C-alpha cells in the first residue's frame, strides 16, 4: 500500500465513435470504487476519466453522421457524461482530448521531444490497417490480414515522424523485472515480457494530413497531425495539469497509483506509454492493472433485434444502479474474463442483495422497532458478541487487504461473510423467542449487535454501492460525518468495532433496501422472447429400467459424431490458481489463434501453476464457452485419469495444428 496521502486513479479514455456499453461501464465503475474507497480511507483522490476524440475511428464515425468531427464529439460526449452520471461515477475531471489545455500540453511535449532528437523524420514502407490505425510488418500479418482485427491491410510508403521507442527496450524490461507489481495481474506481466523478447521498434507518431487530418498538429510540421494514441496516452498527465519541464501541482498526483486498462490495450500502455514517460523524464505509474472482458455466454439466447448486447441502462432501470455496480465487481475476479448472463445477474441479486444483506438490514431494523421501540438499544455483551466483534475486525482487515490490491470480488466476498454471520447469529439467538419470553436485556443486546454489523457493512459497502450504503446508514440514524470518521478508524484498524452506534438514536425501517425479484423483470424477459420457430416436441423416451452394477460404457458413436469435436495442439502461456476454487487453474493457451484462449481446468490436484507455462497440450476448441465459478473458460484440455488427473495429453506440434 502506498503511504502517500494523495491517490491518483485513471481509466482509459473512450473513443467517441459510439455510445458507452458494458465494457466501458465496467472499467469506470471499478475506478470509481477505487476512488471512493481511498476517499473513505481519508486520502485526497484524483480520479480521471474521459473521451479520446481524435483519430481515424472518430473521424469515420463523424463522416457517417454527416457531421464535422468536433460536432460529432460534442454531441456524443453528452451520452458518455450522462451514463457516467447515472452510474454515480465520482470523477474529478472528465478529460476530452479536444480540451484546449490538453492540446497545448501535447504540443509542448512534441516540441520537447523533437528538440531532444527523441522524435525524427523518416520514410517507412509497411502494411497499414485502417481499423487499427497502425502499420504492421510482413511477418506480423495473419493470412495477409491485420493480426488484431482480421481486416484487410494496404501497402503504404509514407514519410512520417518516429519516436525513438526502441531505445528504451532494456530500461523497460529492467523496470518490469524489478517491480513485481508494475503490470498486474502477473499473467499480463509475463505477456508484456514475452512481447519485449522481440526487438522493440520505434513508434510512428504522425499521420499526414493528406490521409487523416483529425488530430493535434505537429508543432514542427504543419502537414502532419499526431498519432491518436500518442495524444491520448498523454491525457493521464495533462489531466492533472502537466507541462513539460515545469514543476507544478501535477506532481502531487503523479506517478499515478493505479491506471486501469482493459487487456486489449495492454501493449499501448505497458510499452508505448511507459517508454514515452521514460523519454520525457517522468516517473512511471506504480501499477498498470489490466482487467478482462465481459462476453455474452453461449447459453444466453437473446432474440429480437437486440442481438446479444448487454444493456447497462436497462440493468440500472430494473435492478438499480448500485446492484449493477455490485454485480460488475462481485461476479468475476478483476483481471479474468467473464460471461454475462441476465439469469446470473438475477440469481446473484436475489441471493446476495435481496436475501443476505436485505434480510439482515430488515431484521435488524424491524425487530428493533417492533419490540424495542425503534431506537438503538444498549447492550450487555457476552462472549458471543465479542466473537462477532473480532469477526468484524478481521472482515475489515480482509476487505482492506483485497481492495488495496484491486481484488473487489474477494473484498466483497469477505464482507458478505460478516453479513452471513449476522444472519446466522439471528437464527441462533432467535430474538422472536427472547421477545416472547420477555428477556428484554438479551433481546436488546442481540438487536444492538445486528444493528452494529449493519453499520460496519453500510460504512464499507459505500465504496461499491454509494447510494444504498448511505441509505442503510441513514436508516441506522447515522450522521454522515460520524460515519465517515468511524469508517476511517475501522480502516486504520482502530475502531470500537461493534460499539459505534449511539444508544437512543431513532431508526427508520423503510422499504426493503433491495426488493426481491421473484422472476426476471418483464423488460429484460422480453429480450429473450424467441423469434425462431418452436422446436419440434421431444419424443418421450421409453423409461429404462435401472440396472444395478457398474455403469454401462457409452453407446457407439459414428465417425461423424467424433468429427464434430475440434481438437487442436496448444501451448500453455500462463497459469494461475482460480480465485475461488482450489481444484481449478486458470490458463491462457496459445491454440494458433490471434489471441490466446482463457481455459479453466480442474488440474490443480496434479499440477502447480508454475509447472505449466510452455507445456504442450491438446485442446477441445469448439466447446461452448462456460463461466466456471466466475471465470470464463473457452475450451477444455485433454487429460488422462478421472477426477484425479494423472497427466495431460500432449502432442509435439505447433499451436493450432489439427489433432484427430
Ligand atoms: N481510446 C482507447 C483508449 C485510450 S487510453 C489512453 C480505447 N478506447 S475504447 O473505447 O475502445 O475502449 C476502452 C476500454 O473499454 C478498454 O480498454 C476496456 O477497458 C473497456 N472495454 C471495452 N470493451 C470491453 C469489454 N467487452 N469488457 C470489458 N471492458 C472492455 O481503446
Amino acid at each position: 500500500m502506498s503511504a502517500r496521502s494523495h491517490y491518483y486513479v485513471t481509466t482509459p479514455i473512450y473513443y467517441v465513435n459510439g455510445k458507452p456499453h458494458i465494457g466501458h461501464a465496467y472499467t469506470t465503475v471499478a475506478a470509481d470504487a477505487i476512488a471512493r474507497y481511498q476517499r473513505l480511507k481519508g486520502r485526497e483522490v484524483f480520479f480521471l476519466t474521459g473521451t479520446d476524440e481524435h483519430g481515424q475511428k472518430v473521424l469515420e464515425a463523424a463522416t457517417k453522421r454527416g457531421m464535422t468531427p468536433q460536432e460529432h464529439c460534442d454531441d456524443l460526449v453528452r451520452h458518455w457524461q450522462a451514463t457516467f452520471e447515472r452510474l454515480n461515477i465520482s470523477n474529478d475531471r472528465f478529460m476530452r482530448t479536444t480540451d484546449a489545455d490538453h492540446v497545448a500540453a501535447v504540443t509542448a511535449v512534441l516540441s520537447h521531444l523533437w528538440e531532444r532528437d527523441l522524435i525524427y523524420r523518416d520514410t517507412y514502407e509497411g502494411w497499414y490497417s485502417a481499423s487499427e490505425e497502425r502499420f504492421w510488418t510482413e511477418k506480423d500479418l495473419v493470412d495477409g490480414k491485420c493480426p488484431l482485427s482480421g481486416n484487410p491491410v494496404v501497402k503504404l510508403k509514407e514519410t512520417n515522424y518516429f519516436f525513438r521507442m526502441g531505445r528504451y527496450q532494456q530500461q523497460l524490461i529492467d523496470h518490469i523485472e524489478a517491480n513485481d507489481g508494475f503490470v498486474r495481474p502477473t499473467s499480463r506481466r509475463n505477456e508484456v515480457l514475452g512481447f519485449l523478447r522481440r526487438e522493440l521498434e520505434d513508434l510512428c507518431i504522425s499521420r499526414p494530413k493528406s490521409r487523416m487530418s483529425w488530430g493535434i498538429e505537429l508543432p514542427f510540421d504543419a502537414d502532419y497531425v499526431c498519432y491518436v494514441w500518442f495524444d491520448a496516452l498523454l491525457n493521464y498527465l495533462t489531466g492533472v495539469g502537466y507541462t513539460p519541464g515545469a514543476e507544478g501541482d501535477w506532481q502531487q498526483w503523479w506517478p499515478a497509483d493505479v491506471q486501469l486498462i482493459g487487456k486489449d490495450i495492454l501493449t499501448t500502455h505497458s510499452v508505448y506509454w511507459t517508454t514515452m514517460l521514460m523519454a520525457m523524464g517522468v516517473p512511471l505509474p506504480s501499477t498498470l492493472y489490466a482487467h478482462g472482458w465481459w462476453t455474452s455466454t453461449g447459453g444466453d439466447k437473446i432474440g429480437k433485434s437486440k442481438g446479444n448486447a448487454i444493456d447497462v441502462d436497462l440493468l440500472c432501470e430494473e435492478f438499480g444502479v448500485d446492484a449493477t455496480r455490485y454485480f460488475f465487481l462481485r461476479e468475476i475476479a478483476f483481471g479474468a474474463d467473464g460471461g454475462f448472463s441476465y439469469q446470473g445477474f438475477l440469481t446473484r441479486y436475489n441471493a446476495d442483495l435481496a436475501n443476505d444483506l436485505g434480510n439482515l438490514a430488515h431484521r435488524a431494523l424491524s425487530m428493533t422497532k417492533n419490540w424495542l421501540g425503534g431506537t438503538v438499544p444498549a447492550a450487555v455483551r457476552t462472549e458471543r458478541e465479542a466473537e462477532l466483534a473480532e469477526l468484524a475486525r478481521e472482515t475489515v482487515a480482509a476487505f482492506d487487504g483485497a481492495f488495496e490490491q484491486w481484488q473487489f470480488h474477494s473484498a466483497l466476498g469477505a464482507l458478505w461473510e460478516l453479513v452471513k454471520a449476522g444472519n446466522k447469529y439471528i437464527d441462533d439467538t432467535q430474538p422472536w423467542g427472547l421477545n416472547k419470553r420477555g428477556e428484554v436485556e438479551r433481546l436488546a443486546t442481540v438487536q444492538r449487535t445486528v444493528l452494529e454489523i449493519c453499520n460496519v457493512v453500510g460504512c464499507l459497502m459505500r465504496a461499491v454501492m454509494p447510494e444504498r450504503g448511505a441509505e442503510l446508514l441513514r436508516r441506522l440514524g447515522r450522521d454522515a460525518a460520524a460515519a465517515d470518521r468511524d469508517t476511517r478508524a475501522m480502516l486504520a484498524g482502530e475502531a470500537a468495532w461493534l460499539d459505534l452506534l449511539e444508544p437512543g438514536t431513532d431508526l427508520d425501517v423503510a422499504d426493503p433496501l433491495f426488493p426481491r425479484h421473484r422472476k426476471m423483470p418483464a423488460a429484460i424477459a422480453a429480450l429473450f422472447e424467441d423469434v425462431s420457430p418452436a422446436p419440434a416436441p421431444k419424443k418421450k423416451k421409453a423409461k429404462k429400467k435401472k440396472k444395478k452394477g457398474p455403469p454401462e460404457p457409452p453407446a457407439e458413436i459414428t465417425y461423424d459424431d467424433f468429427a464434430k469435436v475440434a481438437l487442436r495442439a496448444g501451448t500453455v502461456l500462463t497459469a494461475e490458481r482460480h480465485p475461488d476454487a482450489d481444484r481449478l487453474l486458470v490458463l491462457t493457451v496459445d491454440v494458433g489463434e490471434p489471441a490466446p484462449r482463457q481455459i479453466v481446468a480442474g488440474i490443480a490436484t496434479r499440477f502447480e501453476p508454475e509447472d505449466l507455462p510452455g507445456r504442450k497440450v491438446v485442446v477441445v476448441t469448439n466447446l461452448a464457452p462456460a463461466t466456471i465459478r466466475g471465470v470464463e473458460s473457452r475450451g477444455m484440455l485433454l487429460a488422462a485419469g478421472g477426477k484425479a488427473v494423472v497427466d495431460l495429453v500432449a502432442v509435439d506440434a505447433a499451436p493450432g495444428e489439427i489433432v484427430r
Side-chain angles (χ1 to χ4, degrees):
M1 180 184 118
S2 129
R4 292 197 317 158
S5 60
H6 285 60
Y7 196 98
Y8 183 28
V9 53
T10 67
T11 71
I13 47 171
Y14 306 102
Y15 288 127
V16 274
N17 50 1
K19 291 182 187 169
H21 63 62
I22 184 174
H24 310 128
Y26 179 52
T27 321
T28 317
V29 163
D32 185 63
I34 294 171
R36 287 180 184 275
Y37 186 67
Q38 293 299 336
R39 288 190 202 110
L40 285 176
K41 287 185 94 165
R43 289 208 172 118
E44 292 244 13
V45 172
F46 201 97
F47 166 20
L48 185 70
T49 188
T51 43
D52 188 352
E53 304 193 354
H54 291 127
Q56 179 117 3
K57 287 187 194 196
V58 174
L59 178 61
E60 272 170 14
T63 312
K64 260 194 209 148
R65 298 174 75 204
M67 289 176 160
T68 67
Q70 189 66 60
E71 280 165 359
H72 160 85
C73 292
D74 291 346
D75 176 54
L76 269 193
V77 79
R78 292 182 296 119
H79 294 283
W80 289 81
Q81 287 167 337
T83 299
F84 289 177
E85 211 163 289
R86 163 152 225 196
L87 286 168
N88 212 350
I89 301 301
S90 62
N91 51 301
D92 293 282
R93 176 169 179 182
F94 188 95
M95 183 75 198
R96 298 183 58 184
T97 51
T98 49
D99 285 347
D101 63 333
H102 173 79
V103 174
V106 171
T107 309
V109 170
L110 287 164
S111 298
H112 185 78
L113 297 179
W114 172 249
E115 281 154 19
R116 282 160 187 72
D117 188 38
L118 290 165
I119 290 176
Y120 62 93
R121 185 182 159 98
D122 199 5
T123 300
Y124 183 83
E125 186 168 353
W127 294 98
Y128 185 74
S129 158
S131 65
E132 293 307 308
E133 292 179 66
R134 57 167 291 180
F135 282 97
W136 298 100
T137 62
E138 183 84 44
K139 64 179 186 306
D140 289 328
L141 303 182
V142 175
D143 298 332
K145 298 202 167 130
C146 169
L148 278 185
S149 62
N151 289 334
V153 287
V154 283
K155 193 148 213 181
L156 270 187
K157 188 172 183 179
E158 230 173 51
T159 296
N160 264 308
Y161 290 85
F162 293 83
F163 161 53
R164 293 195 193 279
M165 183 161 79
R167 185 179 279 193
Y168 300 96
Q169 178 162 13
Q170 193 54 47
Q171 195 179 331
L172 179 56
I173 294 173
D174 293 346
H175 184 87
I176 296 173
E177 285 180 341
N179 295 281
D180 261 359
F182 176 54
V183 179
R184 297 271 314 268
T186 315
S187 53
R188 300 287 166 214
R189 173 179 185 266
N190 298 340
E191 199 177 313
V192 179
L193 285 170
F195 175 86
L196 288 169
R197 274 199 282 274
R198 292 206 330 199
E199 192 192 332
L200 186 62
E201 290 174 6
D202 289 344
L203 180 69
C204 177
I205 56 108
S206 64
R207 297 291 180 260
K209 280 189 185 167
S210 53
R211 180 155 64 77
M212 213 292 299
S213 61
W214 178 233
I216 298 177
E217 189 178 285
L218 296 188
F220 38 84
D221 192 335
D223 289 337
Y224 289 82
V225 293
C226 182
Y227 170 43
V228 63
W229 270 101
F230 196 87
D231 152 10
L233 287 162
L234 282 166
N235 97 90
Y236 301 132
L237 276 177
T238 63
V240 286
Y242 170 80
T243 327
E247 307 271 307
D249 280 355
W250 64 275
Q251 286 165 305
Q252 58 181 332
W253 303 112
W254 194 263
D257 293 83
V258 63
Q259 299 205 257
L260 300 189
I261 53 175
K263 64 177 186 178
D264 46 328
I265 51 176
L266 181 63
T267 310
T268 43
H269 282 78
S270 59
V271 180
Y272 299 3
W273 175 224
T274 48
T275 53
M276 283 164 67
L277 288 167
M278 285 171 175
M280 290 156 65
V282 174
L284 302 194
S286 304
T287 296
L288 291 171
Y289 199 111
H291 66 69
W293 281 348
W294 282 100
T295 56
S296 60
T297 55
D300 250 358
K301 197 173 188 189
I302 301 178
K304 292 206 166 155
S305 57
K306 307 270 179 179
N308 61 4
I310 298 141
D311 191 336
V312 179
D313 275 334
L314 191 58
L315 285 174
C316 292
E317 192 72 46
E318 299 300 325
F319 291 100
V321 171
D322 278 357
T324 305
R325 293 170 54 113
Y326 173 80
F327 181 80
F328 283 168
L329 299 185
R330 177 67 183 102
E331 182 69 2
I332 58 172
F334 201 58
D337 288 348
F340 180 92
S341 86
Y342 287 104
Q343 191 53 48
F345 191 111
L346 179 71
T347 306
R348 187 170 281 287
Y349 174 92
N350 278 333
D352 296 6
L353 299 176
N355 286 354
D356 291 346
L357 179 56
N359 271 350
L360 183 76
H362 189 71
R363 289 157 111 188
L365 293 162
S366 66
M367 294 195 292
T368 311
K369 166 137 192 274
N370 293 343
W371 303 324
L372 295 167
T375 60
V376 174
V380 181
R381 297 181 173 93
T382 68
E383 205 159 300
R384 182 76 207 268
E385 285 73 43
E387 277 167 23
L388 281 170
E390 176 54 18
L391 179 69
R393 191 190 63 74
E394 286 167 9
T395 298
V396 175
F399 186 89
D400 183 46
F403 233 98
E404 283 293 345
Q405 295 299 314
W406 312 291
Q407 300 304 299
F408 316 106
H409 143 278
S410 311
L412 292 166
L415 193 58
W416 252 248
E417 288 306 312
L418 182 64
V419 171
K420 286 182 184 148
N423 278 322
K424 179 163 187 313
Y425 172 69
I426 298 177
D427 296 341
D428 293 347
T429 52
Q430 306 202 338
W432 44 92
L434 298 173
N435 176 52
K436 215 172 192 175
R437 294 194 296 278
E439 295 178 40
V440 179
E441 187 180 281
R442 186 66 192 142
L443 175 65
T445 303
V446 168
Q447 288 306 118
R448 170 68 182 275
T449 305
V450 183
L451 289 165
E452 292 279 358
I453 292 176
C454 288
N455 178 49
V456 173
V457 174
C459 283
L460 294 191
M461 71 187 261
R462 290 180 299 167
V464 175
M465 294 185 274
E467 191 276 325
R468 291 287 82 186
E471 171 61 11
L472 175 56
L473 294 177
R474 188 198 62 74
R475 293 177 187 194
L476 293 170
R478 298 298 333 255
D479 168 75
D484 284 347
R485 199 181 51 235
D486 288 346
T487 310
R488 276 200 295 281
M490 280 184 218
L491 291 170
E494 292 161 357
W497 303 111
L498 299 187
D499 196 9
L500 292 164
L501 299 178
E502 193 59 50
T505 310
D506 282 334
L507 301 168
D508 183 7
V509 179
D511 295 337
L513 269 185
F514 297 98
R516 198 179 315 282
H517 285 273
R518 298 204 184 278
K519 54 184 185 33
M520 190 64 81
I524 296 179
L527 298 177
F528 294 82
E529 276 171 28
D530 201 348
V531 287
S532 59
K538 276 188 196 153
K539 280 185 196 154
K540 272 195 183 162
K541 278 187 205 154
K543 266 195 185 169
K544 273 192 206 156
K545 270 191 191 164
K546 262 197 182 171
K547 275 193 220 155
K548 280 195 174 165
E552 278 183 85
E556 278 176 355
I557 59 168
T558 63
Y559 175 81
D560 286 347
D561 287 335
F562 173 69
K564 285 181 192 152
V565 182
L567 298 173
R568 297 279 180 277
T571 305
V572 178
L573 301 177
T574 63
E576 280 178 357
R577 292 196 187 284
H578 189 291
D580 220 14
D582 295 342
R583 223 172 49 76
L584 303 178
L585 296 182
V586 182
L587 315 176
T588 50
V589 183
D590 178 1
V591 287
E593 297 167 337
R597 288 193 182 213
Q598 177 172 283
I599 297 177
V600 177
I603 55 173
T605 48
R606 171 69 181 78
F607 296 101
E608 291 296 321
E610 54 272 23
D611 299 340
L612 294 167
R615 229 182 135 109
K616 305 248 184 205
V617 287
V618 175
V619 178
V620 182
T621 52
N622 61 341
L623 202 63
T627 301
I628 305 178
R629 297 271 197 124
V631 178
E632 192 187 45
S633 184
R634 294 183 54 240
M636 189 180 93
L637 301 190
L638 293 191
K643 261 206 164 144
V645 174
V646 176
D647 201 358
L648 289 172
V649 176
V651 287
D652 192 9
E657 196 63 68
I658 294 175
V659 180
R660 47 187 294 192

